[in-house]
Amino acid sequence: MVQLHGKFKAFVNSRWLVFVCAMWIQSFAGIGYLFGSISPVIKSTMGYSQREVAILGVAKDWGDAVGFVAGSLSEILPTWGILVIGAVLNFVGYGMLWLIVSQRLPALPLWVLCICIFVGTNGETFFNTAALISCVQNFPKSRGPIVGILKGYAGLSGAILTQIYAMINSPNESSMLFMIAVGPSMVAIALMFIVRPVGGHKQVRPSDNSSFLFTYSICLVLAAYMLGVLLLEDLVNISQPLITLFAVILIILILLPIVIPVILVFFSDPTHSMQESLLVESQGEEAGKSEEDKTEVIFSEVESEVEDDKSLEVNSLSVSERQKRIAQLQAKLLHAAADGAVRVKRRKGPRRGENFTLMQALVKADFWLIVFSLFLAAGSGLTIIDNLGQITQSLGYNDSSIYVSMISIWNFLGRVGGGYFSEIIIRDYAYPRPVAMAVVQVIMSFGLFYYAMGFPGQIYVTTVLVGLGYGAHWAILPAAASELFGLKSFGALYNFLTMANPAGSLIFSEVIASGIYDHYAKEQATLRHQISGSMLIKPLRDEDSLTCVGTICYSITCGILSGLCIVACVLSLIVVYRTRRVYTQLYGSST
C-alpha cells in the first residue's frame, strides 16, 4: 500500500502527466480558429455586411492576442488561478454571444458583440499561458518540441470541436456557440490542479526521446485521421451513427498520450534521473548579488568581449578552443583585478540569451524585428483563416466548415513540424531558430500567390500552405523568444509578441480584404440589378445582400499578402544575421 501511494504521488507530480493534461487543455483552447465556422451564422442571423463581420473578426483576434494581463498575472498567481480566470472569461464571453445570436436576448449593437467575442477569446490567452509556462519550465531543454506540440493541439482544436459538434447533430446552428462557451471551460476547470511546474528538470530519463517519438507519432496519426474523416465527409454522405463513431475514435486518440506517464511511473523500473541544466541566471538576479562578487562579473564581461569580437581568428575557433581562450582571459583579469590594475565595469542590462524583463526587451532591435515579421506574416495567415468561410462561399462551396477544419489540421501539422524542424536546425547545425521562420514565410507567400493567380485547386493549395506556414510561426516564435530573452518573464514577452497577430489582421482583414470584397460585391449586385431590371439601372439598397462570387473576391488580397510575407522573410533573415553568435554560444558551432 505504501509503495502504491508513492507511485501515485510520483504520477501526480510527473512532468509527462502535466504535459499530457496541457495537451488536452490546448485541444479545446483554440476557439478563435472556429470563427470561420461561426461567422456565417452570425452574419445571416444578425444581418451583417462583410465589413461588420470583419470587425467582429478583428475583435476576436485582439481578444486572442491581448495576453499581457495573463502574462503579468502568471508571475504572481498559481497556475490554477490563471486557468480559472480563463474559464470564466471563455464562459461569460461566448455565453453572452450565444444568447444574442440565438435571439434569447434582444438584438444588440455590433459593439456589444465585439466585447463579447473579445472577452470570450481572451480566455484562450490564459489557457495558453498556463500550459506553455508550466511545460517549458518542466522541459527547459526541449522547448521546440514542447511548444510545437502544445500550440499544435491548440491549432487542431477547431477541427476537434467541429467533429464533436457534428456528433451532437444539433439542428440549431447557433448551438455551436454554446458548445464553445461550455466545453473549454469544463476541461480547464477539471485539470487546473494538475497543470503546473513540478520541477521537471529533475525528472529527465533516457526514455524521454522515445516518449517524444511516441507523442509525435500520435500527432501524425491524429492529423491523418482527421484529414481522412474530413475528405470522406466531403465526398460521401455519411450517416449520423458513423459520424458518432468517428468522433469517439477521435476522443480516444486525444486521450492516448496518457499511456506515457502511466508506463513511466507504474511499469518502469526506477532509474536515476539525469538532471537537465537549467537556464542561465538573469542579469537582474546577478544585480541583486553583493558588489564584492567580482568573479561572475569578470566572467560575464570576458564572454561578452569574445562574443562581440568579429575577427576571423576568433570566429574560426572551435568551441573548445574558444572556451580555453575565455579561461585564460578570465585568469589574467582576476589577477589584475586583485592587484587593482583593472577596473571592471558592469554592463547595463542583460545580453541576448539572458533573462530580460518586458521593458528591457522593448528597447532591443531584435525584439521589434520579430514583432514586425510576425505582424506581416502571421497577420496575413490569420486574415485567410478569418475569411475562409467567405472565401469558400465565393468559390461556390456550400460547406465552409470542412475547409475550416482542414486548415486547422494543417495548422496543427505546421506547429508540430515547425517545432521539430527548428529544433533540428539549432541542434544539428547551430543555425538561429528564426531561419525556420524565414522558410515558412516563403512557403506562405507561395500559397497566397497560387490563389492570386487563380491556378487549379487553389483552395486546397492555399489551405495547406497557409495552414502549415501560419501554424509553424507559433512553434518557432515562442521558443526563439525564450532563447533570446530568457524565461523569467516569458509569459509577458510571449503575450506581447502575440499582439502583432491581430494588429496585422486589423489592417489586412478589416481594411484590405473586406474593402476589396465589398467593392466587387457592390459591382456584382449592381450588375444583377441591371440584368433583372431589363437593363434599367436601379439604385442598390442598403438591405440588399452584398455577396461576392468568384476568384476575384480575394485574389488581389492574396497577391498583396504574398508580397508582405516576402518582406517578413527579409526581416527574419536580419534577425538570423544579428543573433547567430548567440545560438553558436548556446548550441555550438555549425558543421
Side-chain angles (χ1 to χ4, degrees):
M1 183 63 68
V2 175
Q3 185 179 7
L4 182 61
H5 180 268
K7 290 278 189 180
F8 181 77
K9 184 177 180 181
F11 178 74
V12 172
N13 292 315
S14 169
R15 67 173 184 170
W16 280 99
L17 177 65
V18 174
F19 182 40
V20 171
C21 290
M23 289 162 58
W24 292 344
I25 290 176
Q26 294 293 85
S27 298
F28 294 88
I31 48 182
Y33 298 107
L34 279 169
F35 186 76
S37 294
I38 65 176
S39 59
V41 179
I42 297 175
K43 181 179 181 180
S44 60
T45 303
M46 306 302 293
Y48 288 157
S49 67
Q50 183 59 30
R51 184 175 294 273
E52 289 172 315
V53 173
I55 292 173
L56 270 178
V58 171
K60 181 269 300 180
D61 295 338
W62 277 105
D64 190 18
V66 179
F68 59 86
V69 176
S72 301
L73 291 177
S74 66
E75 299 183 10
I76 58 176
L77 291 180
T79 306
W80 64 265
I82 301 298
L83 290 173
V84 167
I85 295 174
V88 171
L89 291 176
N90 178 80
F91 180 76
V92 171
Y94 277 100
M96 283 293 297
L97 189 63
W98 170 70
L99 291 173
I100 295 171
V101 174
S102 63
Q103 299 179 344
R104 287 172 170 79
L105 290 178
L108 296 174
L110 176 63
W111 63 268
V112 176
L113 273 74
C114 288
I115 292 176
C116 290
I117 202 168
F118 174 89
V119 172
T121 313
N122 192 247
E124 183 179 341
T125 66
F126 288 83
F127 299 149
N128 287 333
T129 300
L132 285 174
I133 290 180
S134 298
C135 292
V136 170
Q137 289 182 3
N138 289 333
F139 294 84
K141 287 295 182 180
S142 303
R143 281 171 279 187
I146 289 296
V147 173
I149 292 170
L150 288 179
K151 296 298 292 183
Y153 272 89
L156 190 63
S157 60
I160 293 172
L161 289 171
T162 298
Q163 198 65 32
I164 294 175
Y165 178 74
M167 179 181 66
I168 297 172
N169 192 29
S170 172
N172 187 359
E173 293 182 342
S174 64
S175 59
M176 177 176 277
L177 289 169
F178 178 78
M179 183 187 70
I180 294 173
V182 174
S185 299
M186 291 178 60
V187 173
I189 293 297
L191 302 175
M192 64 181 181
F193 292 117
I194 300 178
V195 178
R196 69 205 190 282
V198 291
H201 61 280
K202 300 177 181 179
Q203 301 180 19
V204 181
R205 296 188 179 191
S207 61
D208 284 343
N209 289 334
S210 300
S211 300
F212 274 116
L213 182 60
F214 180 73
T215 305
Y216 276 122
S217 301
I218 292 176
C219 291
L220 293 177
V221 171
L222 184 59
Y225 174 77
M226 289 296 302
L227 186 60
V229 169
L230 290 173
L231 290 176
L232 189 62
E233 291 176 350
D234 187 31
L235 299 174
V236 181
N237 188 16
I238 300 177
S239 63
Q240 184 59 37
L242 193 56
I243 291 176
T244 303
L245 176 62
F246 288 156
V248 171
I249 296 174
L250 172 64
I251 294 173
I252 292 174
L253 289 175
I254 295 173
L255 297 176
L256 192 56
I258 192 63
V259 303
I260 297 175
V262 170
I263 292 175
L264 289 177
V265 174
F266 294 101
F267 298 98
S268 297
D269 294 331
T271 57
H272 297 289
S273 62
M274 302 178 299
Q275 183 169 338
E276 287 183 352
S277 58
L278 294 177
L279 300 174
V280 180
E281 293 293 328
S282 68
Q283 185 68 20
E285 292 172 347
E286 290 182 6
K289 297 178 181 179
S290 62
E291 290 297 327
E292 291 78 15
D293 191 1
K294 300 286 186 179
T295 304
E296 290 195 22
V297 178
I298 295 175
F299 284 9
S300 179
E301 291 301 318
V302 171
E303 291 171 357
S304 300
E305 292 300 323
V306 174
E307 176 189 345
D308 292 337
D309 192 337
K310 297 180 173 56
S311 67
L312 293 175
E313 179 186 357
V314 173
N315 289 333
S316 63
L317 293 176
S318 65
V319 177
S320 59
E321 290 296 328
R322 189 174 300 185
Q323 290 175 347
K324 291 180 181 178
R325 178 74 61 86
I326 291 173
Q328 293 172 358
L329 292 174
Q330 286 171 349
K332 292 179 181 179
L333 281 175
L334 282 173
H335 287 299
D339 295 336
V342 175
R343 184 179 179 181
V344 178
K345 182 180 179 181
R346 183 184 297 272
R347 66 173 183 268
K348 296 181 179 179
R351 285 186 171 272
R352 288 171 300 190
E354 299 176 355
N355 283 329
F356 283 70
T357 65
L358 177 59
M359 296 306 297
Q360 289 170 333
L362 288 176
V363 299
K364 293 297 181 181
D366 297 330
F367 187 81
W368 286 106
L369 285 170
I370 293 176
V371 169
F372 283 116
S373 178
L374 187 67
F375 168 80
L376 296 173
S380 298
L382 189 59
T383 298
I384 298 300
I385 292 173
D386 287 347
N387 289 274
L388 192 59
Q390 285 68 44
I391 291 174
T392 54
Q393 288 179 356
S394 69
L395 295 177
Y397 299 98
N398 294 325
D399 191 359
S400 62
S401 63
I402 293 176
Y403 299 95
V404 172
S405 298
M406 285 181 63
I407 203 169
S408 180
I409 291 171
W410 293 111
N411 187 2
F412 166 73
L413 289 174
R415 296 178 184 219
V416 175
Y420 181 75
F421 173 58
S422 65
E423 199 73 11
I424 290 177
I425 285 178
I426 63 173
R427 295 289 180 183
D428 294 349
Y429 304 102
Y431 291 151
R433 200 181 292 267
V435 167
M437 283 182 59
V439 172
V440 300
Q441 285 159 356
V442 171
I443 293 174
M444 284 185 63
S445 177
F446 178 78
L448 293 165
F449 180 78
Y450 193 94
Y451 188 97
M453 292 295 100
F455 294 143
Q458 58 190 152
I459 186 63
Y460 297 101
V461 174
T462 303
T463 298
V464 171
L465 297 185
V466 171
L468 284 173
Y470 175 80
H473 276 80
W474 299 109
I476 300 167
L477 174 71
S482 69
E483 287 162 342
L484 295 176
F485 305 106
L487 278 177
K488 182 180 180 181
S489 300
F490 175 67
L493 289 167
Y494 167 71
N495 284 299
F496 182 88
L497 286 169
T498 58
M499 293 178 63
N501 203 27
S505 176
L506 175 65
I507 297 176
F508 307 149
S509 181
E510 202 277 331
V511 177
I512 298 177
S514 63
I516 294 174
Y517 180 95
D518 285 343
H519 169 75
Y520 284 106
K522 289 178 181 179
E523 282 191 353
Q524 293 177 2
T526 301
L527 182 60
R528 286 193 296 268
H529 275 262
Q530 290 176 346
I531 296 174
S532 62
S534 301
M535 303 307 293
L536 295 176
I537 300 177
K538 293 183 178 181
L540 188 63
R541 297 170 297 177
D542 291 339
E543 62 268 20
D544 288 334
S545 176
L546 290 178
T547 303
C548 182
V549 179
T551 303
I552 190 63
C553 303
Y554 286 95
S555 60
I556 297 177
T557 298
C558 287
I560 295 172
L561 298 181
S562 177
L564 294 177
C565 287
I566 293 298
V567 176
C569 175
V570 174
L571 296 179
S572 297
L573 292 176
I574 295 174
V575 176
V576 170
Y577 176 78
R578 291 174 55 89
T579 61
R580 65 194 187 282
R581 289 186 178 84
V582 178
Y583 281 90
T584 299
Q585 277 193 326
L586 289 174
Y587 299 103
S589 59
S590 60
T591 57

